[in-house]
Structures are given as C-alpha cells and as structure tokens.
Amino acid sequence: MSRREARRLGLLAQAQGGEQGAVLATARSSVRYLSGFTGSAGALWIPAEGPATLVTDGRYEEQAGVEVEPPALIHIGRDGWIRGVADVAADASGPTLFEAESLTVADYESLREALPGMAFVPRRNLVRELRQVKDDEELRAIERAVAVAESAFDRLLAAVDWSSSPTERDVATALEAELRRGGSDPLPFDPIVAAGERSALPHATPTTRPIEAGDLVLLDFGASVDGYCSDITRTCVRGAAEPWQIDIHACVLEAQTRAREAIRAGAPGRVVDGAARGALARHGLDGSFGHGTGHGIGLDVHEGPSLSARSEDTLRAGNVVTVEPGVYLPGRGGVRIEDDVLVEEAGSRTLTRLPRALIGL
Ligand code: ZN
Ligand code: ZN
C-alpha cells in the first residue's frame, strides 16, 4: 500500500471514531499530504469506503495525472471544484467531515446548496493532527530544507559588503536569491531582516533602513524542499557589540537551550514554553518576550503542535517544532534565536547546525 493510501485510511479510522463518514480535505497542504497533488486548486474527497477522488479543474488535468497515484481517482470539474465534489459525492450517505480551518464560509454554503441531503461537519485539526508526526521521508525533506537555508545564510554573510551600510531590503533580496539558488522551492515566507531598533519588532518587514555600525540585525528565513519548510532565526551585530546586546543575547540563548532540553515525547507544549520563559524571568526579561516559544513545521511553516503558555498539545516522537524565544526592547533592539528540532522518545535532535553565537558583521 502506498504511503498516501495508508495516510488516507489512517485519517478515516481516526476521524470516524466508529461511525461511518467521509472526509473532505480542502487545505492545499492537506490535499498534497493525502494525494500528492501540488496544484493550488482542488479538494480531496475520501469516502467511508472505496477510493479517494481528487477534484480539480481543467488547468490541472495533466499535472494531477502525473502526481496522483492509483487507487486514488481524479475528477476534473467543469464548473469549479464545488460542483465537482457534488458530482463525485452524489451517492454518498452519512456525514462529511471537513477541515474547519480552511473552508471558507462562502464555500461551505455553496457545498450545502450543491449537496442538500448531506450533513457537513466542521472538525478542527482533522488532517493537521495526523500531519504533526513526520515519517522518515518527510523528515529528510525538512532536513534538506534546513540545509538549504543554512548554506544560503552562510553565503549571504560572506557575500554582503557590510561596510557599505546595505539596507534591510538589500539584504533580504540577497537572502531570497541565495535561498532560491541553493535549491529552495518558492520560499515558505518572506525573509525578515530587521536592524537596530526595528529588530525589536518580532515580525518586521524589511525596509530601506540602512544597517549601520552598532545595530543588532535579526534575520528570520526558511527554505522549502518537496513542500516541506525550514524556519530559522539568527541575530547578528554590525561592528563591536555593546554590553547590553551581549547580555540579552546570552539570556535568549540560555532560554533557547533550556527549551530545547525540555523537549521529549510526552512533554506538554506549555512546559517547553515555560522552560524558556522561566529562564528569561530569572533575568527579569520575561516581560520582553511576547510570543510563543515555537510551532510545528512541515508542509505549512506554521502548524501544530504549539509551544506556548496556552498550548494544550503534548509532544509526540516525530513532531518537528521550532524553538524561538526572543527578547525585544522597544526603541533599542531585539534578539531571537530559532532552531528546528525533532522530537524523539527520550529527548530531541536539533536539526539546525548554524552556530548560535551573536554573529559579528
Ligand atoms: Zn522564523
Ligand atoms: Zn517560526
């Protein structure tokens, strides 16, 4: 049985909970996970019994034929995917579970109109739950995405003439080019390059601000390989670091190390978050860390499980999560260190190999 067929059967067994029901996957990443189809328009209908059907439109007919393996079927809808699902599912009985996070209200209403006799039941984490545990092939793709991002970063540091005070945008553009040249598929997110006081904005967009001596420079970037993402952050300093910059970097590194040490199968996400937050609290810096400690990565750059104070997730062997505490001092600057970490039965393996020291530019 193919890997994807096994995933579909596992999904049905988990989703049905003893009752008969079909599953409709509509998130692009879930459709890819369950069928291999990488196109941007389509849905996967998985009936309680019998083969699954990928529903897409004429633009993707040839691509779907190459990517979707039997026993899964392909249906080319002539009037959009909703009409296509209605054609394929016309004879089905029982409820249809769908991904609550990805179906729009408009599409939900159209589906109910197209299939008035069918009960559509929203379910959170329907496919995402299954996607959280990576198999060996998925792990290898993530490892390659990490390696592509790391070598792009190394080449970037060597290639940029830092003494010419390049702008954040110059550096971001050069980093994007290195990531693509190094083998990344379309980037999973636009790299963040934030200098000086702007590094205190956790999700800054690169601007024309020049990077000057004395600036902290925060770079958050990732690659994607075979659909799987990496997500890495390193913080640098232009010229000689000031004592406060060295201090907050050391505190973030300690928090990041404590969080990675807390990772193992069975650890609650909020306990890992607490390990990072507790380390910062000992230095009086927990008030300067306003986001969660990490998130799962995979076909999406943000997926489960979550490492945050409110997380209800428990880590399982095979999860791959980011660990990314930060300290942000408004008006001065910020530091974040982000690694990608594989959860194992008795501990963890950090996939990122880049040094974590404060990097001088
Ligand atoms: Zn990141
Ligand atoms: Zn991240």
Side-chain angles (χ1 to χ4, degrees), residues 220 231 295 301-302 322 324 338:
D220 188 343
D231 183 7
H295 53 85
V301 73
H302 285 104
T322 69
E324 52 176 308
E338 176 177 29

Side-chain angles (χ1 to χ4, degrees), residues 16-27:
Q16 288 169 341
E19 287 171 52
Q20 286 289 326
V23 169
L24 182 67
T26 56

Side-chain angles (χ1 to χ4, degrees), residues 166-173 193-196 198-199 205-211:
T167 67
E168 295 171 340
R169 200 178 286 171
D170 293 336
V171 175
T173 306
V193 177
R198 301 195 73 261
S199 59
T205 326
T207 66
T208 54
R209 184 196 187 285
I211 300 173

Side-chain angles (χ1 to χ4, degrees), residues 287-299:
S288 302
F289 172 35
H291 57 75
T293 293
H295 53 85
I297 55 172
L299 286 167

Side-chain angles (χ1 to χ4, degrees), residues 16 24 47 58 61 114 122 132 149 151 189 239 254 275 313 331 338 352:
Q16 288 169 341
L24 182 67
E61 186 163 8
Q132 289 181 12
S151 59
F189 59 95
E254 183 189 329
D313 299 333
E338 176 177 29
T352 322

Side-chain angles (χ1 to χ4, degrees), residues 11-12 15 21-25 34 44-48 95-98 126-127:
L11 172 66
L12 279 179
V23 169
L24 182 67
L34 294 166
L44 187 68
W45 163 255
I46 309 173
T96 294
L97 308 174
F98 67 88
L126 179 60
V127 187

